[in-house]
Amino acid sequence: MKPVEISKGIYDVGVNDWNIKDFHGYSTPYGTSYNAFLVIDEKIALIDTVKSEFADQLIDNISAIVDPRKIDYVVSNHTEMDHSGALARVMHRIGEEKPLYCSKMGHKNLSQHFSHDWHYHPIENSEELSLGEKTLTFLETRMLHWPDSMFTFIKEDGILFSSDAFGQHYAGFEKFDDVVGHTIMLHAQKYYANILMLFAPLIQKLVDKVRQMGLDIKMICPDHGIIWRQSPGKIIDAYVQWSRHHTEHKAVVVYDTMWHSTEKMADAIATGLYEQGVRVRPMYLRKWHRSDIMTDVLDAKAVVVGSPTLNNGLFPTISDFLTYMKGLKPQQKIGGAFGSYGWSGESVKLIQQELEAMKFDIIEPGIKSHFVPDTDGSNTAYEFGKKIGQAIIASGD
Ligand code: FEO
């Protein structure tokens, strides 16, 4: 990808990673991008780098604009290696003596990732660095989503470089929200659900803080995916809504199945939910990636989980999913458990325990089916779905 001038004197010199399909356990069918930004003024700054294997592309992109040795400052908003992997190569090319701006935790973390004795400049929150006509302001955003995370803001242009926040795993030549269109919101939702959901209280505080500071944000440049130039307010509003755990009249029925019995129960439960006016999707865990399921969990009011009993326990895919979901801390959900069994039948109790540990509201005891659900068994599952559906509608969300 060639550099793109996103605003006067400001270039995205990052790269597309077209072929990555699994980003540390998150499915990325559209690949991703590692965005990095060059700000040209009387002084020149590079904001963030890219994954190590794309270092040459980044240096080529910078060189298409300016001799890399003319860069005066390097800013690292976040240490994770998809944004710092190329740092050693880039610093070598730019000049090891150039100041490297980062948060105090960034200094600590970068020092633990790289053995180079660079000229670190750990910032104070809200510290400014003048480049001439443009000023970089550094804003600490601890735990969004690493302790080292920070934003960089150019007040004269109203541009926020937001690191991972507001990002999407999406590779494309199209670099802006108005070019890609509304479909980008689904990628943003997936990103939030799988990376940021657990930090919801911090996101609310951050948005409040940014609003109090009165930053006039005209453009948001995340380190992944498209740049929000037409509607930066739209993605901020979405983050506010998601971080408040807003839900729809919607349920997710997640299951695995050995001989289609738990699947029959899932279908009957989903039918019962649907007939109460709830949007619902049965999601078979061997066909749906857990990160796609979490995208739906984000704004669903109920999560109903089904597993056959295998070796006196849960099916492994269900254990995997429950562990993953627990870490992301979804809140204010109704939970339900179901499953078929042959002789011991522990799976339903185990699922319910996990959902209770996540503080899900268990409004109906879980249901079991011995071997294949007969007509009565299917009716029980249908009624189970109906009752959860009624509770979703009654919740008023
Ligand atoms: Fe895109 Fe936290 O790295």
Side-chain angles (χ1 to χ4, degrees):
M1 189 178 83
K2 289 181 180 171
V4 178
E5 187 168 24
I6 59 169
S7 183
K8 190 168 168 32
I10 303 175
Y11 298 83
D12 181 356
V13 287
V15 301
N16 277 319
D17 188 350
W18 300 104
N19 295 320
I20 187 168
K21 299 297 168 198
D22 182 317
F23 191 97
H24 60 45
Y26 172 142
S27 73
T28 51
Y30 288 80
T32 194
S33 69
Y34 312 113
N35 303 338
F37 301 95
L38 192 64
V39 185
I40 309 274
D41 200 345
E42 289 164 30
K43 298 285 185 182
I44 299 175
L46 174 68
I47 301 175
D48 291 326
T49 71
V50 298
K51 224 174 173 182
S52 59
E53 56 262 46
F54 295 96
D56 285 343
Q57 274 189 47
L58 171 63
I59 291 167
D60 286 350
N61 285 346
I62 295 169
S63 303
I65 310 294
V66 69
D67 177 352
R69 297 203 74 79
K70 292 192 171 161
I71 292 175
D72 298 286
Y73 307 105
V74 177
V75 177
S76 171
N77 277 333
H78 177 31
T79 305
E80 197 165 5
M81 298 291 265
D82 49 333
H83 310 297
S84 73
L87 195 56
R89 289 278 314 282
V90 167
M91 291 301 288
H92 181 70
R93 188 74 178 77
I94 290 174
E96 309 273 356
E97 75 286 2
K98 301 291 173 66
L100 175 52
Y101 280 65
C102 56
S103 66
K104 292 185 184 70
M105 281 305 294
H107 179 200
K108 192 172 166 189
N109 288 353
L110 285 167
S111 302
Q112 290 175 322
H113 280 72
F114 300 97
S115 54
H116 301 265
D117 191 18
W118 289 318
H119 289 252
Y120 287 105
H121 181 107
I123 55 97
E124 297 297 331
N125 190 35
S126 301
E127 182 176 332
E128 294 189 341
L129 171 65
S130 173
L131 301 179
E133 292 184 2
K134 299 181 194 296
T135 311
L136 305 184
T137 306
F138 306 109
L139 305 166
E140 284 193 293
T141 58
R142 286 172 74 95
M143 294 317 300
L144 288 177
H145 69 125
W146 274 25
D148 53 69
S149 298
M150 68 176 198
F151 290 173
T152 300
F153 184 63
I154 300 183
K155 59 186 173 188
E156 293 82 2
D157 298 290
I159 299 181
L160 184 70
F161 300 92
S162 61
S163 186
D164 281 329
F166 311 118
Q168 336 88 48
H169 282 311
Y170 179 87
F173 288 110
E174 316 84 13
K175 284 310 297 180
F176 300 99
D177 54 346
D178 50 300
V179 181
V180 177
H182 189 72
T183 54
I184 200 64
M185 289 307 291
L186 189 59
H187 299 280
Q189 178 167 337
K190 181 171 179 178
Y191 194 92
Y192 178 90
N194 286 277
I195 307 275
L196 294 163
M197 186 196 286
L198 70 163
F199 302 115
L202 292 175
I203 287 168
Q204 286 179 27
K205 277 189 194 156
L206 177 72
V207 171
D208 288 346
K209 193 169 115 186
V210 167
R211 284 183 170 156
Q212 281 163 14
M213 289 173 76
L215 299 184
D216 183 14
I217 300 172
K218 296 190 172 75
M219 186 184 288
I220 298 177
C221 300
D223 274 355
H224 298 288
I226 61 90
I227 289 161
W228 306 93
R229 76 173 172 190
Q230 184 181 53
S231 313
K234 185 171 165 181
I235 188 64
I236 293 173
D237 290 347
Y239 267 53
V240 169
Q241 197 171 48
W242 293 331
S243 65
R244 287 180 182 158
H245 308 287
H246 169 81
T247 55
E248 308 279 337
H249 288 169
K250 177 179 165 186
V252 177
V253 179
V254 189
Y255 69 96
D256 206 327
T257 193
M258 291 168 71
W259 297 105
H260 302 294
S261 295
T262 305
E263 184 168 63
K264 281 188 177 135
M265 297 176 79
D267 285 350
I269 292 166
T271 304
L273 281 155
Y274 176 72
E275 290 185 1
Q276 296 309 302
V278 171
R279 238 171 354 111
V280 59
R281 192 189 287 277
M283 303 179 100
Y284 177 29
L285 257 172
R286 273 184 277 170
K287 300 292 181 189
W288 286 87
H289 196 274
R290 58 176 176 259
S291 55
D292 289 315
I293 295 174
M294 283 311 299
T295 310
D296 266 313
V297 166
L298 178 64
D299 59 357
K301 183 65 189 171
V303 183
V304 190
V305 182
S307 173
T309 296
L310 177 69
N311 303 330
N312 306 110
L314 292 173
F315 213 74
T317 49
I318 298 293
S319 299
D320 172 284
F321 173 72
L322 289 169
T323 301
Y324 186 68
M325 181 164 71
K326 191 184 207 170
L328 289 166
K329 296 187 169 65
Q331 290 182 30
Q332 299 169 28
K333 307 283 187 204
I334 294 169
F338 66 98
S340 76
Y341 69 104
W343 41 97
S344 56
E346 290 91 342
S347 67
V348 172
K349 188 175 84 183
L350 292 170
I351 292 170
Q352 205 161 294
Q353 284 171 353
E354 287 293 325
L355 296 178
E356 283 167 352
M358 292 179 227
K359 300 191 167 45
F360 280 31
D361 189 8
I362 307 295
I363 56 156
E364 280 292 310
I367 55 166
K368 292 184 199 178
S369 176
H370 192 206
F371 289 121
V372 182
D374 57 11
T375 306
D376 280 352
S378 292
N379 280 339
T380 301
Y382 170 78
E383 290 297 326
F384 183 69
K386 246 175 91 173
K387 284 178 186 155
I388 294 175
Q390 286 160 358
I392 292 170
I393 302 295
S395 75
D397 283 358

